[in-house]
């Protein structure tokens, strides 16, 4: 009788344990059914620059940018010193495939058309150019420039030496230089990448206009918005 009662007790304890385990499993939080998941996808990168200028290690406001010699899409070699009577330089690190870079192409064209004749030309540089990337190689750059009819130079940073000097970490990433090549503004073009019609603050254009007046930009730094530079 004692043996029978002991066996019954073991069975009751086991059943209780299994029931509790089943309830906990049902109540445990996890991915929704059918693979649905709220929030950003795993492994995604936010478009906003996360590092400070000190952490990046490139140019800071007031630094003098060194000149360079890079190949343009027309196969000529280009340097900042090639621009006669420059009053400043709108250096923009951009690329072919980044959605944010594409969103800003028309705005860069408009900026160049508006300010190049006033001494502030756009100088676009691709930090992602690579022979091994068919979408970002030099031939793809030439194709993109032709399709969009870029009125500005589109340069290949083939040795990937220029973008780290500037501290470009996103595409697009803007560095506005004055006549002496001193960095006067670093960051994004404006406050709305997705819609030019909904822009409220034109950071780059405001900085250019300040230089035209002989003033310092009131806002000289913003976080770049775009895709991380991928040079490999």
């Amino acid at each position: 009788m004692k043996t029978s009662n002991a066996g019954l007790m073991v069975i009751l304890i086991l059943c209780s344990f299994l029931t509790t385990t089943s309830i906990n499993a049902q109540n445990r939080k996890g991915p929704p059914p059918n693979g649905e998941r709220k929030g950003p996808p795993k492994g995604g990168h936010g478009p906003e620059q996360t590092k400070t200028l000190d952490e990046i290690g490139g140019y800071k406001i007031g630094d003098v940018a060194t000149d360079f010699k890079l190949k343009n899409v027309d196969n000529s070699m280009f340097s900042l010193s090639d621009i006669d009577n420059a009053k400043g330089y709108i250096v923009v690190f951009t690329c072919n495939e980044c959605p944010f870079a594409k969103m800003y192409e028309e705005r860069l064209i408009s900026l160049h058309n508006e300010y190049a004749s006033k001494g502030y030309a756009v100088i676009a540089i691709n930090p992602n150019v690579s022979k091994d990337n068919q979408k970002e190689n030099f031939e793809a750059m030439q194709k993109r420039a032709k399709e969009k009819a870029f009125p500005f130079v589109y340069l290949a940073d083939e040795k990937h030496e220029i973008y780290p000097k500037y501290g470009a970490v996103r595409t697009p990433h803007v560095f506005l230089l004055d006549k002496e090549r001193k960095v006067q503004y670093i960051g994004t073009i404006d406050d709305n990448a997705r819609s030019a019609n909904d822009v409220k603050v034109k950071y780059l254009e405001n900085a250019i206009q300040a230089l035209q007046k002989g003033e310092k930009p009131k806002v000289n730094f913003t976080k770049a918005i775009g895709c991380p530079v991928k040079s490999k």
Side-chain angles (χ1 to χ4, degrees):
M1 182 66 69
K2 289 182 179 181
T3 302
S4 178
N5 289 339
L8 182 59
M9 184 65 67
V10 170
I11 291 172
L12 290 173
I13 293 172
L14 181 60
C15 289
S16 176
F17 173 78
L18 292 174
T19 301
T20 302
T21 301
S22 177
I23 293 172
N24 288 341
Q26 293 178 31
N27 292 336
R28 186 180 300 123
K29 293 182 179 180
N34 303 321
E36 296 177 358
R37 184 186 298 273
K38 294 182 179 181
K42 279 189 172 182
H45 295 282
E48 185 176 284
Q49 168 189 339
T50 56
K51 293 183 177 180
T52 66
L53 294 181
D54 286 333
E55 291 172 331
I56 294 169
Y59 291 140
K60 299 179 180 64
I61 301 300
D63 287 350
V64 178
T66 57
D67 204 350
F68 48 73
K69 188 177 286 292
L70 296 175
K71 186 163 68 172
N72 187 24
V73 287
D74 65 359
N75 285 303
S76 67
M77 300 303 292
F78 176 88
S79 298
L80 295 177
S81 58
D82 292 335
I83 303 178
D84 294 328
N85 302 315
K87 295 181 180 178
Y89 309 86
I90 307 169
V91 179
V92 184
F93 291 87
T94 186
C95 65
N96 294 342
E97 290 299 309
C98 170
F100 290 92
K102 291 180 177 180
M103 290 176 199
Y104 274 112
E105 285 175 333
E106 293 297 332
R107 277 172 269 187
L108 287 176
I109 290 171
S110 296
L111 279 166
H112 182 82
N113 289 339
E114 174 68 23
Y115 291 100
S117 61
K118 300 173 183 177
Y120 297 86
V122 168
I123 299 99
I125 302 175
N126 188 339
N128 295 346
V129 62
S130 170
K131 293 180 180 179
D132 300 326
N133 186 341
Q134 292 185 349
K135 294 182 178 181
E136 294 290 354
N137 62 22
F138 187 70
E139 291 72 23
M141 288 177 58
Q142 291 178 310
K143 181 180 179 182
R144 189 65 181 173
K146 184 176 181 180
E147 288 175 349
K148 299 299 296 185
F150 287 162
F152 44 77
V153 295
Y154 189 24
L155 311 176
D157 189 4
E158 293 177 306
K159 295 182 179 180
H160 303 140
E161 294 177 345
I162 304 305
Y163 86 83
K165 288 184 179 180
Y166 275 75
V169 294
R170 289 287 191 274
T171 53
H173 203 160
V174 175
F175 295 78
L176 175 63
L177 316 180
D178 64 18
K179 186 176 182 179
E180 285 74 37
R181 299 203 306 271
K182 288 183 180 180
V183 181
Q184 299 293 347
Y185 172 78
I186 300 173
T188 188
I189 294 170
D190 54 45
D191 68 347
N192 197 319
R194 299 187 184 279
S195 175
N197 292 330
D198 294 322
V199 169
K200 295 180 180 178
V201 184
K202 298 181 178 180
Y203 297 111
L204 175 57
E205 192 165 2
N206 289 346
I208 296 170
Q209 292 175 356
L211 295 187
Q212 287 181 312
K213 298 174 184 177
E215 301 173 355
K216 299 288 185 182
K218 290 182 179 179
V219 177
N220 60 18
F221 171 77
T222 57
K223 291 183 177 181
I225 304 294
C227 307
V229 170
K230 298 177 181 179
S231 61
K232 295 181 180 180

